[in-house]
Amino acid sequence: MAKRTEGVPEPTKTPRHVAIIMDGNGRWAQQRGLPRVSGHKAGVETVRSAVEQSVKTGIQVLTLFAFSSENWRRPPKEVNLLMDLFIIALDREVRRLKRNDVRLRIIGDHTAFSDKLQARIVEAQQSTADCKGLTLQIAANYGGRWDLVQAARRLSEKVDAGLLRPDQITEESLSSGLSTAGLPDPDLFIRTGGEQRLSNFLLWQSAYAEFYFTDVLWPDFDAKEFDKALASFTNRQRRFGRTSEQTRLEDGR
Ligand code: IPE
Ligand code: IPE
Ligand code: MG
């Protein structure tokens, strides 16, 4: 039997890790003649439903892209409203997450956030740290390139301190410096809102993710739509470089 390449995820029917670019809030609101922020508020409700669905389905990790390192380029008013909404959502949802045994992690560069938001993030993470069910990662001020740069910095600090030789830098050691360290890579990568691009999300981690693009705008991405994405994943043959014949023989699919 062929050796499985290290770092390549195992084939599974239920994705262990689902990553979602939650796009289309602004257009959803505009279509209704509402301000963009109404779309973001409606989007928070969809987050709750996606979390419930993930718990029910037995997904281990759900990573949601909430604010990219490029989203600071939006009008300051929208950025401020998004930050306020983030604080409100943390205040409101943490108790429910705990009840559902959901461990919350916020990934991204928090240093750019207000002291108030940073404090809420620390509290929310601490209060759910012992939860053993779903791991929910919210990517906020996150960029895939930022993630790689900060991992490279961690490794070079170790080299500098004489703890690591350059030839000991491997895919595993680099992965262990990423914000997602210790978690499986995304199996299923969903983007709502019709665009077919990565927008600097989980660049390294998505090397072997299955992509699912849908025109459905994030606030409309309900349980039925989530199920469609999961069903599409079930029908994929993940070859990880092998031929389809090898995959059938080795994975039985
Ligand atoms: C995604 O929805 C949410 C964030 C980026 C914060 P958008 O706000 O990008 O919605 P559209 O793409 O303008 O419709
Ligand atoms: C990506 O959506 C980021 C989030 C969903 C948080 P954007 O709407 O910002 O992406 P672009 O600018 O269209 O690529
Ligand atoms: Mg968008």
Side-chain angles (χ1 to χ4, degrees):
M1 205 162 105
K3 181 180 168 286
R4 183 173 294 286
T5 313
E6 271 197 43
V8 169
E10 294 287 326
T12 43
K13 285 186 181 151
T14 300
R16 281 173 307 173
H17 183 171
V18 177
I20 311 183
I21 299 186
M22 311 184 284
D23 198 16
N25 293 348
R27 280 164 286 163
W28 183 91
Q30 277 159 351
Q31 283 172 5
R32 287 163 176 73
L34 299 167
R36 291 178 58 86
V37 68
S38 307
H40 297 313
K41 284 184 185 154
V44 176
E45 301 301 315
T46 311
V47 168
R48 193 183 291 152
S49 122
V51 171
E52 277 171 18
Q53 188 83 343
S54 301
V55 170
K56 264 193 220 151
T57 322
I59 290 164
Q60 293 170 27
V61 185
L62 176 68
T63 304
L64 302 175
F65 205 5
F67 191 87
S68 76
S69 43
E70 289 72 35
N71 286 145
W72 296 108
R73 303 172 76 183
R74 294 193 177 197
K77 199 174 139 212
E78 180 167 344
V79 171
N80 289 335
L81 285 167
L82 280 167
M83 295 298 150
D84 290 347
L85 207 55
F86 196 12
I87 295 181
I88 294 170
L90 283 175
D91 284 350
R92 259 202 222 145
E93 302 298 325
V94 167
R95 228 174 307 139
R96 187 196 308 267
L97 293 176
K98 235 179 135 167
R99 229 177 18 243
N100 288 305
D101 207 20
V102 177
R103 181 169 71 117
L104 179 67
R105 303 184 71 227
I106 314 291
I107 58 170
D109 182 4
H110 304 172
T111 57
F113 294 145
S114 68
D115 290 346
K116 184 175 170 189
L117 179 50
Q118 289 191 50
R120 291 294 207 288
I121 288 174
V122 172
E123 279 165 28
Q125 292 189 140
Q126 275 173 356
S127 76
T128 61
D130 295 330
C131 293
K132 298 279 185 291
L134 174 75
T135 294
L136 171 64
Q137 299 196 106
I138 303 289
N141 193 23
Y142 177 88
R145 288 181 173 176
W146 163 84
D147 208 359
L148 282 162
V149 166
Q150 61 92 30
R153 268 195 203 138
R154 282 185 195 180
L155 288 180
S156 39
E157 276 162 14
K158 281 190 188 159
V159 172
D160 205 32
L163 298 168
L164 190 75
R165 289 192 319 267
D167 66 338
Q168 289 173 319
I169 295 177
T170 59
E171 293 188 8
E172 286 69 34
S173 64
L174 197 130
S175 286
S176 72
L178 293 171
S179 58
T180 49
L183 297 172
D185 283 339
D187 301 294
L188 174 62
F189 186 120
I190 300 172
R191 181 171 188 144
T192 64
E195 314 297 347
Q196 303 195 352
R197 53 177 172 253
L198 299 187
S199 299
N200 199 14
F201 192 37
L202 301 174
L203 297 179
W204 169 283
Q205 296 90 332
S206 298
Y208 260 105
E210 295 293 329
F211 287 87
Y212 180 85
F213 295 108
T214 171
D215 289 337
V216 173
L217 303 173
W218 176 249
D220 292 329
F221 193 77
D222 56 13
K224 213 174 95 217
E225 295 296 335
F226 201 146
D227 277 342
K228 273 197 223 167
L230 294 174
S232 157
F233 176 81
T234 311
N235 292 324
R236 312 268 179 109
Q237 189 192 45
R238 305 185 76 194
R239 292 196 277 278
F240 302 113
R242 298 165 298 175
T243 66
S244 47
E245 200 165 31
Q246 285 175 303
T247 309
R248 260 198 310 277
L249 284 170
E250 291 168 18
D251 303 344
R253 39 192 288 134

